[in-house]
Amino acid sequence: MTPAALEWLTRFRRYLSSERRLSAHTDQSYARDLAALVKFCDREGIAEWGALDSQHVRRFAAHSHKGGLAPRSIQRRLSAVRSFYAFLLREAAAETARSAATRGGSAGVRQRRSARITGNPAAEVRAPKAARRLPQTLDADQMARLLQIAAQGDPLGSRDRALMELLYSSGLRLAELVSLDVSSLDLKDGVVHVLGKGRKARIVPVGRLALRALREWLPTRGAGARGAVGAAPGTRSARAPASVPPLLCLAPARIGRRAARRAGTAGSRGYLDHADLYPP
């Protein structure tokens, strides 16, 4: 690919972060998938994005499948290609409009633009069908045993229970849970302020048992604390060290492993594995 073609990838990632406000994880996934497309184009002798057609994209998907990539991962790659070309088409249309306004609608300019990007070559390309996995669930007794992980009364178990209760009662995603800070919690009103996908903020209620577990754990927090609940914004607890990580500074896989061991059920391990709380 030419340097000018590669520059469009940089612009696309800037668009993802500034306009679509996607997470860093999603941005990295797009970058990996489009880097694979660039390698494919180099092997095929394709130097410009306008030279890529649907047959090339089908070969790209087939090459990914032959290389051992799972159907869902191929779907993600094709989605990245579709999004990238949608961006290119949008930019081409905007540039054509600007050129028409500044140059009196030159037909030559419009023809050159249309020759570069004429459509989305990945629009009609589909990945191999992926096997559908049914979600794993726990019954009421298994969930109750899973949340009774502080029976021994140890501080670590108290923390684990508070986090699991919060995760369960508020329906948080794992990434949302581990990014919370003390200032995110409002125990008086029983809510937690969450920054979710697309950096969209929302206020989520916290259940009664989760509030009780948090109140029991937070006063005993150790060196991982950023500040005590009720402390003024921007201030630190007297016990907090000079440099401290976010509130829930934790290793989710370890919490899941301890929780499943204490719950003592295979179903608990399956549930935690599905939630990315249990290591493979």
Side-chain angles (χ1 to χ4, degrees):
M1 303 295 289
T2 64
L6 295 176
E7 175 63 23
W8 281 108
L9 294 175
T10 303
R11 296 185 187 184
F12 177 60
R13 294 187 65 184
R14 191 181 306 127
Y15 156 76
L16 293 178
S17 60
S18 62
E19 294 190 35
R20 291 187 58 184
R21 302 182 69 182
L22 299 183
S23 67
H25 177 74
T26 303
D27 175 70
Q28 291 169 4
S29 295
Y30 272 97
R32 286 193 300 269
D33 294 333
L34 293 175
L37 179 64
V38 169
K39 290 182 179 179
F40 172 81
C41 290
D42 289 339
R43 287 194 301 268
E44 295 288 320
I46 299 172
E48 297 291 343
W49 296 118
L52 192 73
D53 59 27
S54 59
Q55 291 302 319
H56 291 130
V57 177
R58 286 189 176 90
R59 287 205 296 271
F60 173 59
H63 177 80
S64 300
H65 184 64
K66 185 178 179 181
L69 206 63
R72 291 186 184 276
S73 298
I74 298 174
Q75 290 174 359
R76 189 198 63 226
R77 279 192 174 181
L78 293 176
S79 176
V81 176
R82 280 191 288 270
S83 297
F84 177 55
Y85 269 86
F87 167 76
L88 292 179
L89 288 168
R90 190 194 77 157
E91 293 298 302
E95 192 170 351
T96 299
R98 288 193 298 267
S99 299
T102 58
R103 303 183 187 183
S106 169
V109 172
R110 288 194 296 270
Q111 185 176 4
R112 286 195 299 271
R113 294 302 176 197
S114 63
R116 292 175 62 183
I117 302 294
T118 59
N120 194 327
E124 302 299 326
V125 180
R126 296 291 176 262
K129 289 186 177 180
R132 298 185 63 181
R133 294 183 299 174
L134 294 177
Q136 293 177 309
T137 60
L138 300 180
D139 59 34
D141 292 337
Q142 289 175 324
M143 199 67 220
R145 288 199 296 273
L146 182 62
L147 295 177
Q148 291 174 353
I149 58 179
Q152 294 127 339
D154 62 288
L156 196 58
S158 178
R159 183 198 69 172
D160 291 354
R161 182 186 180 192
L163 301 188
M164 293 296 293
E165 287 279 7
L166 180 60
L167 181 75
Y168 177 63
S169 74
S170 300
L172 302 181
R173 299 182 180 92
L174 181 60
E176 295 169 346
L177 175 71
V178 299
S179 63
L180 291 178
D181 204 339
V182 170
S183 59
S184 305
L185 293 170
D186 187 342
L187 301 186
K188 181 179 179 181
D189 291 337
V191 296
V192 58
H193 297 259
V194 180
L195 191 63
K197 285 187 174 181
R199 301 186 63 80
K200 294 180 181 178
R202 70 183 193 278
I203 300 176
V204 182
V206 180
R208 174 177 55 85
L209 295 179
L211 287 172
R212 180 191 302 173
L214 286 166
R215 289 193 178 102
E216 291 174 355
W217 166 57
L218 286 171
T220 64
R221 291 173 61 225
R226 186 182 286 273
V229 172
T235 64
R236 297 180 183 271
S237 165
R239 295 177 301 172
S243 59
V244 290
L247 164 67
L248 301 183
C249 173
L250 53 92
R254 294 181 181 176
I255 292 177
R257 183 165 57 246
R258 289 193 297 270
R261 184 169 60 246
R262 289 171 179 174
T265 64
S268 299
R269 171 166 181 164
Y271 176 82
L272 294 166
D273 183 47
H274 182 72
D276 290 333
L277 281 169
Y278 203 102

